[in-house]
Amino acid sequence: MNSLQQLDYVVFSLYLILVASYGYWVFQRDKTKNTTTQGFFLAEGSLTWWAIGASLIASNISAEHFIGMSGSGFAIGLAISSYEWMSAATLIIVAVFFIPIYLKNKIYTMPQLLSLRYNDTVATIMAVFWLLLYVFINLTSILYLGSLALETITGVKFEYCMGALSIFAILITLGGMKVIGYTDVIQVVVLILGGLATTYLALNMVSDKFGGEGVFDGLSLLKTKADDHFHMIFSKGDKHYYELPGLSILIGGMWINNLNYWGCNQYIVQRALGADLKTARSGIIFAAFLKLLIPLICVIPGIAAYVLYNNGSLQQEMVDLHGVVKPDHAYPSLMNLLPQGLKGLAFAALTAAIVASLASKCNSIATIFSLDIYKKILKKDATERQTVLIGRYAVWVSFAIALIVTPQLRHLEQAYQFIQEYSNYITPGAFALFSLGLFWKKTTSNAAIIAAVLTLPLSLLFKILPNWMHTDPIPFLDRTLWVYLILVILMITISLIEDRKKKETKGFEVDTSMFKVSSSFVVISMLICGVLAALYTVFW
């Protein structure tokens, strides 16, 4: 039934009241601090480790995971989990090597980092790239998937769902980073509980369909009935090789993708930039642990829907009006089968994931525009209050643009793959700037400018070149790796040439003691890596 019942509305209303009340209390408690840039954009170092970890996950997990990743689970299988599991390993690297440099050098925004390391030209180029990416790809795709899911579950028109999600997210965003960070704790608890409810239902349905008893039988039957959906590595020639090209997910482009996302991405690292090193690292390792659980609540339901569909269930739910199978219908279709109360919880979980991500993206859009465009270029003498006010205006403008663009995405089949591929057009250049800028002192500003300018043309060239040559398309993760390597070689060459001319370069304050970690951090990291090794060994 594509609607919520009375008990569902009660559960959902409790969620709304809890988030709104807690957010309002957090806002009122430190209201005066929200008029400063540090208070509004960075929460002025007040987030605890568990709030940082929860907020990292809440800002990352959204409709693109619940809907898009479940859709990819339906179409591709468990292999799509590599984005989550490899992220866990990536977060450990970010905590050890990236965060200490950011905190030591008092970095607040990623363009600010590029300005300090290179020059304002590099910073402005990348600030514009990031703003375009966040507004036209991230914000719109999350709003699209979220509205699609809400429409499917409640029967409310897509446009109304867009408007409601936008208003809820705007209200949270306008409260500043502290409100976002602490309400994200509630959002994460709700999204995990609601996600587990849907997984429980899906596995029980599979178990009942084939005469099993309970969720563990359902999980075992899932492997038996969809063995082709339980492989992590695809060989060349496989129909899914383009999305997940073999070993590239372990030793290639996936690392570039994840290191850039988790280590050089404003709306991710922003959570940790206001904390001390120990708190930031603890929060990040907590997020790495939570990342191991995400496929259970996002991918497994999609595989379950695939098994059920292939065996006569969900026949109407999984197709559109033209009879075409739509993988992104998997999660909403399962949610619609939940009993009263649990459906309301799952609906709250989905809403929490969507709103938390929308708020995080928009806070980072406001941060970059206010600090790196407005205060740095448009009005250098702007006061703290004026800068925060412009940030709040940027929130409204961003959502206005997203509301115009979002309906154009309705033709997509697998939105998660759309997000990953088109985000990767600027990933190679961004990560080349950061990796060499942070860890190689000789990198020059001119080398960085050339890499920043060339990243989009090179990515587009690798995209269209196979069409010209009538060859197989290059998987976008491989394309990401090749473009990154080309840019790194180019930057090194230019930097070495300029070094001979005694061209002065700017570096960061770095010492080896910054990279030392506690014994507890080492133990937890080893446990996470051990789990990852076991998973890839079992599902190779």
Side-chain angles (χ1 to χ4, degrees):
M1 181 182 294
N2 295 359
S3 62
L4 299 178
Q5 303 303 304
Q6 185 173 5
L7 185 57
D8 297 323
Y9 282 114
V10 171
V11 173
F12 183 69
S13 297
L14 287 174
Y15 153 73
L16 286 179
I17 293 169
L18 182 61
V19 172
S21 302
Y22 186 57
Y24 183 74
W25 176 77
V26 171
F27 177 76
Q28 288 294 329
R29 188 180 61 177
D30 295 307
K31 190 174 182 179
T32 55
K33 293 182 180 179
N34 281 316
T35 59
T36 67
T37 53
Q38 273 200 320
F40 184 75
F41 297 120
L42 295 177
E44 215 162 19
S46 60
L47 296 182
T48 59
W49 66 267
W50 43 269
I52 290 172
S55 191
L56 280 168
I57 295 301
S59 62
N60 169 240
I61 302 302
S62 184
E64 66 196 70
H65 287 77
F66 277 103
I67 309 303
M69 189 165 270
S70 288
S72 292
F74 182 98
I76 297 174
L78 191 65
I80 199 66
S81 301
S82 285
Y83 281 103
E84 304 308 300
W85 289 338
M86 293 299 288
S87 290
T90 304
L91 279 164
I92 296 171
I93 295 173
V94 170
V96 175
F97 296 107
F98 287 69
I99 291 299
I101 298 176
Y102 296 163
L103 297 183
K104 183 77 171 179
N105 292 276
K106 294 181 171 53
I107 301 300
Y108 303 139
T109 73
M110 296 300 98
Q112 176 211 359
L113 182 151
L114 296 176
S115 179
L116 290 173
R117 177 58 181 84
Y118 299 118
N119 58 36
D120 289 345
T121 302
V122 177
T124 302
I125 291 172
M126 293 309 299
V128 172
F129 275 157
W130 276 316
L131 287 174
L132 292 174
L133 176 67
Y134 291 169
V135 174
F136 288 97
I137 301 296
N138 296 130
L139 206 60
T140 55
S141 58
I142 293 169
L143 197 55
Y144 158 70
L145 284 169
S147 302
L148 176 67
L150 266 57
E151 179 187 45
T152 305
I153 295 162
T154 65
V156 176
K157 288 184 66 176
F158 182 85
E159 291 75 15
Y160 294 152
C161 293
M162 280 199 310
L165 286 173
S166 298
I167 291 171
F168 193 7
I170 286 170
L171 291 175
I172 292 178
T173 309
L174 294 179
M177 177 53 72
K178 191 168 186 178
V179 172
I180 293 171
Y182 279 107
T183 55
D184 277 352
V185 177
I186 299 175
Q187 311 277 39
V188 165
V189 172
V190 172
L191 74 85
I192 289 177
L193 290 176
L196 287 174
T198 306
T199 301
Y200 180 85
L201 167 83
L203 293 176
N204 257 335
M205 287 180 66
V206 171
S207 180
D208 293 343
K209 182 78 175 178
F210 299 103
E213 295 182 4
V215 294
F216 290 107
D217 279 356
L219 193 58
S220 177
L221 285 164
L222 214 60
K223 176 72 167 62
T224 303
K225 300 296 180 180
D227 183 64
D228 61 325
H229 274 49
F230 280 86
H231 297 289
M232 299 301 298
I233 307 296
F234 295 127
S235 302
K236 193 167 185 177
D238 189 281
K239 62 180 179 179
H240 300 304
Y241 184 79
Y242 179 82
E243 289 90 357
L244 294 164
L247 290 175
S248 287
I249 65 172
L250 295 179
I251 58 176
M254 182 69 82
W255 282 104
I256 309 299
N257 178 75
N258 281 350
L259 283 168
N260 180 71
Y261 180 87
W262 292 102
C264 314
N265 194 334
Q266 180 67 35
Y267 66 80
I268 294 297
V269 297
Q270 190 166 337
R271 273 114 195 89
L273 293 181
D276 61 80
L277 182 57
K278 182 182 178 182
T279 303
R281 276 181 169 160
S282 298
I284 292 170
I285 201 71
F286 178 47
F289 168 74
L290 293 176
K291 265 292 174 183
L292 297 177
L293 306 177
I294 300 304
L296 181 63
I297 63 176
C298 292
V299 181
I300 294 300
I303 301 175
Y306 171 80
V307 170
L308 292 167
Y309 176 79
N310 279 351
N311 289 274
S313 302
L314 304 178
Q315 295 298 302
Q316 293 183 335
E317 292 86 348
M318 288 305 303
V319 298
D320 63 12
L321 296 175
H322 306 290
V324 178
V325 177
K326 300 289 285 185
D328 284 344
H329 285 190
Y331 201 87
S333 298
L334 290 170
M335 280 184 60
N336 278 326
L337 300 176
L338 284 168
Q340 284 192 49
L342 281 181
K343 185 176 179 181
L345 178 63
F347 184 66
L350 182 60
T351 305
I354 297 163
V355 170
S357 281
L358 287 173
S360 297
K361 274 23 167 220
C362 225
N363 182 269
S364 294
I365 290 168
T367 302
I368 291 176
F369 182 80
S370 302
L371 299 182
D372 298 299
I373 301 294
Y374 176 73
K375 189 172 177 61
K376 199 168 186 179
I377 299 172
L378 301 179
K379 189 176 175 58
K380 295 182 179 180
D381 60 346
T383 64
E384 292 273 294
R385 188 178 293 274
Q386 287 174 328
T387 306
V388 171
L389 184 61
I390 286 296
R392 289 192 165 112
Y393 286 153
V395 172
W396 288 100
V397 173
S398 299
F399 270 104
I401 295 171
L403 286 169
I404 294 171
V405 175
T406 296
Q408 312 309 315
L409 304 183
R410 300 202 71 173
H411 69 282
L412 295 177
E413 181 178 339
Q414 287 187 56
Y416 189 77
Q417 290 303 112
F418 161 80
I419 298 164
Q420 295 299 332
E421 176 163 2
Y422 286 93
S423 296
N424 271 270
Y425 277 115
I426 68 168
T427 292
F431 190 61
L433 265 60
F434 276 88
S435 56
L436 287 182
L438 291 174
F439 303 109
W440 193 49
K441 273 192 169 185
K442 291 185 178 181
T443 313
T444 64
S445 299
N446 288 333
I449 291 172
I450 291 171
V453 171
L454 287 181
T455 182
L456 188 57
L458 274 176
S459 295
L460 289 171
L461 179 63
F462 272 79
K463 172 73 173 176
I464 63 178
L465 192 60
N467 291 333
W468 292 348
M469 301 179 66
H470 303 290
T471 58
D472 291 336
I474 302 171
F476 71 86
L477 285 174
D478 286 349
R479 185 178 74 224
T480 299
L481 177 61
W482 286 117
V483 174
Y484 171 75
L485 292 175
I486 290 171
L487 292 175
V488 165
I489 292 170
L490 189 61
M491 288 178 70
I492 291 174
T493 303
I494 294 170
S495 298
L496 289 176
I497 291 171
E498 293 194 320
D499 183 54
R500 290 175 187 169
K501 299 177 181 178
K502 304 300 180 186
K503 186 81 174 180
E504 187 178 345
T505 58
K506 297 185 289 184
F508 291 115
E509 188 177 342
V510 178
D511 61 75
T512 54
S513 65
M514 294 164 53
F515 305 124
K516 292 180 180 178
V517 294
S518 65
S519 56
S520 60
F521 184 94
V522 172
V523 171
I524 297 171
S525 298
M526 289 177 67
L527 286 173
I528 290 172
C529 291
V531 171
L532 291 175
L535 287 167
Y536 276 93
T537 300
V538 171
F539 297 115
W540 185 270

